[in-house]
Amino acid sequence: MNEKPENDSRRELLKGSLGAGMLALGAGALPQWMNAALAQDEVLVPFADVPDSFSPGEPSPGSNHILDTRKFDSFYTDGFYIVQHYGQPELDVDAWRLRITGLVEKELSFSLAELRQRQTVQQDIGFECGGNGGRMFHGLVGNARWGGISLRSLLEEAGIRPEGKEVVFFGADIGKEEIRGREVDSAFARSLSVNDAMRAENMLAFEMNGAPLPLFHGRPLRLIVPGWYGVANVKWLTQIHIQDTRFMGRFMGRDYVTLKRENTGGIDRWVENSVSRMNLKSVISRVSRTGATHYIDGFVLNDGTALRNVEISIDGGAWQPAEILPGASRYSWKQFRYTWRAPAAGEHTVVSRVTDINGNTQQPQQDLPERVSYWEEYGQFARKVVIGS
């Protein structure tokens, strides 16, 4: 099965809704984030750090999918990255049910039709894979409008008992795992503490960009935890289970675990943490030009903390302010643009950094804690770009 027809229908629906909004606003009042699209006389400038062979192509069944960040041209990404570990199960939507079990006052079960009858919410939310990094030019990323229902409303209806401590989310994707010499069936699963699960913004999504959730993104239902890395957003969701102990499945306790050196109470130690909230991060995604004027575009992702500024440095020079384009929400990505006037011909190094309202600033990679694992790569990402004569 190929997802392209689903992508096409979703794209057309979004074009229609955007078109209606544009007619209402008038040509002179287009949302500024639409400036991410190349103007008629604007052309891409090549990166020297991207090999000619780099071409992610179209998503295919059973495979992961990286986006080419140079091609981002709107607020909602044209497509969305894909990472899956136990295949992409095609569920019978009519027979599918979501069960809420464990330490609750009342166990619940819902069909998709029953969930759709509840009060719905729409949120613009962007996130990246916990393993997104420079080796794939930070292409494991996406920004979409998600439609669904409040997770908290279902948990409140079920009634979490006082002894309930952990909320575990099980997907329908199941694989074989060898543990201490024995092969067992293991469902993809992640957990949240009760406090984290009860955040008002958490949702169970059955729509993506105005259309039913596509197969590759968890049809018919997935968890969305705004501000967290993608691994937390369990796809093909079938069960929510409340228990009184920590959940330590593969993707909580053995995989998606960051190993880094930190000072803990005055002692340097190698410590491990399960990948959870997104770190503060900016990425330059492309450079373009119109005549002698060049533009540096990129995006910011973080845990939802408001931003103070985004800055650009060229060839190690002083940091210069970039414009953060309007139209973003708390948990969507934030796009930025810097106008680079009449740069000299030749190769240049360009890098961005972002600072949030608490004063936390994205640091150079070498100034971050030493890591063994490749999870949570959020240091400054320098790009090499070639300016023609």
Side-chain angles (χ1 to χ4, degrees):
M1 174 178 180
N2 194 300
E3 193 192 29
K4 196 172 190 302
E6 293 175 328
N7 277 341
D8 290 343
S9 62
R10 188 166 66 247
R11 194 175 300 123
E12 291 304 314
L13 190 151
L14 272 176
K15 286 180 179 177
S17 62
L18 288 172
M22 290 176 185
L23 290 173
L25 287 167
L30 296 181
Q32 194 160 349
W33 52 256
M34 289 298 289
N35 289 342
L38 290 173
Q40 186 172 2
D41 59 347
E42 188 177 356
V43 296
L44 286 176
V45 177
F47 281 123
D49 55 11
V50 180
D52 294 338
S53 59
F54 180 74
S55 179
E58 293 292 326
S60 59
S63 298
N64 298 334
H65 180 58
I66 299 171
L67 302 187
D68 187 339
T69 62
R70 297 168 298 182
K71 297 180 179 179
F72 290 164
D73 62 1
S74 71
F75 182 65
Y76 302 107
T77 49
D78 185 9
F80 208 96
Y81 85 91
I82 299 170
V83 171
Q84 48 81 40
H85 299 279
Y86 295 142
Q88 296 156 340
E90 296 192 51
L91 305 180
D92 183 341
V93 175
D94 292 332
W96 172 91
R97 298 192 73 84
L98 174 68
R99 299 174 59 229
I100 302 180
T101 61
L103 296 175
V104 293
E105 299 297 337
K106 178 176 59 174
E107 293 197 347
L108 301 174
S109 177
F110 298 94
S111 67
L112 182 61
E114 289 169 336
L115 292 179
R116 284 184 168 276
Q117 291 172 3
R118 302 175 69 93
Q119 182 177 354
T120 59
V121 294
Q122 299 277 337
Q123 294 191 83
D124 292 340
I125 299 169
F127 52 85
E128 63 175 336
C129 176
N132 195 27
R135 66 192 185 284
M136 71 282 289
F137 309 106
H138 295 278
L140 291 175
V141 66
N143 190 69
R145 170 158 289 187
W146 304 93
I149 62 171
S150 162
L151 168 63
R152 184 167 71 180
S153 68
L154 291 191
L155 296 178
E156 288 176 338
E157 184 174 333
I160 297 177
R161 288 161 51 181
E163 61 268 35
K165 305 298 182 186
E166 196 95 347
V167 184
V168 188
F169 302 85
F170 291 96
D173 42 334
I174 297 174
K176 299 288 187 181
E177 293 286 346
E178 184 175 325
I179 301 175
R180 298 193 177 185
R182 181 173 179 180
E183 189 174 72
V184 299
D185 289 332
S186 176
F188 184 91
R190 286 276 301 191
S191 71
L192 298 170
S193 69
V194 169
N195 284 341
D196 285 332
M198 293 297 283
R199 293 166 63 216
E201 53 265 53
N202 294 340
M203 65 187 298
L204 303 177
F206 43 67
E207 290 182 352
M208 181 180 183
N209 290 337
L213 198 63
L215 167 65
F216 292 179
H217 297 289
R219 186 173 62 205
L221 191 76
R222 74 178 295 173
L223 173 67
I224 298 290
V225 186
W228 288 49
Y229 285 105
V231 66
N233 302 326
V234 177
K235 296 182 282 190
W236 305 290
L237 188 64
T238 59
Q239 184 182 7
I240 301 173
H241 185 76
I242 292 82
Q243 58 190 46
D244 61 359
T245 56
R246 291 290 305 277
F247 175 74
M248 295 297 287
R250 170 185 164 183
F251 301 101
M252 290 292 296
R254 303 189 301 278
D255 203 350
Y256 287 86
V257 173
T258 300
L259 174 62
K260 59 183 180 294
R261 188 196 300 270
E262 287 188 331
N263 185 284
T264 57
I267 302 173
D268 281 341
R269 298 184 186 277
W270 285 99
V271 297
E272 296 169 286
N273 66 272
S274 188
V275 171
S276 57
R277 292 175 179 83
M278 286 191 293
N279 291 281
L280 180 66
K281 175 180 182 175
S282 70
V283 172
I284 291 174
S285 56
R286 77 175 185 213
V287 176
S288 60
R289 68 171 177 84
T290 300
T293 301
H294 289 66
Y295 303 98
I296 299 173
D297 289 297
F299 59 87
V300 173
L301 286 169
N302 72 336
D303 63 359
T305 302
L307 306 182
R308 178 181 295 171
N309 58 39
V310 176
E311 299 168 297
I312 302 294
S313 174
I314 299 170
D315 296 329
W319 291 100
Q320 303 292 329
E323 177 188 8
I324 301 176
L325 303 183
S329 68
R330 178 179 179 183
Y331 292 110
S332 73
W333 66 0
K334 284 76 175 172
Q335 295 172 305
F336 62 83
R337 166 164 279 200
Y338 174 78
T339 302
W340 187 10
R341 303 189 186 281
E347 184 175 285
H348 297 273
T349 300
V350 295
V351 65
S352 65
R353 72 178 184 186
V354 58
T355 301
D356 68 20
I357 59 169
N358 297 322
N360 299 308
T361 299
Q362 181 183 12
Q363 298 298 314
Q365 196 69 49
Q366 64 269 22
D367 292 344
L368 294 175
E370 183 182 357
R371 290 179 304 139
V372 171
S373 53
Y374 55 72
W375 307 117
E376 300 182 274
E377 184 176 317
Y378 58 94
Q380 293 173 13
F381 180 49
R383 308 300 308 266
K384 299 288 187 180
V385 64
V386 179
I387 304 298
S389 57

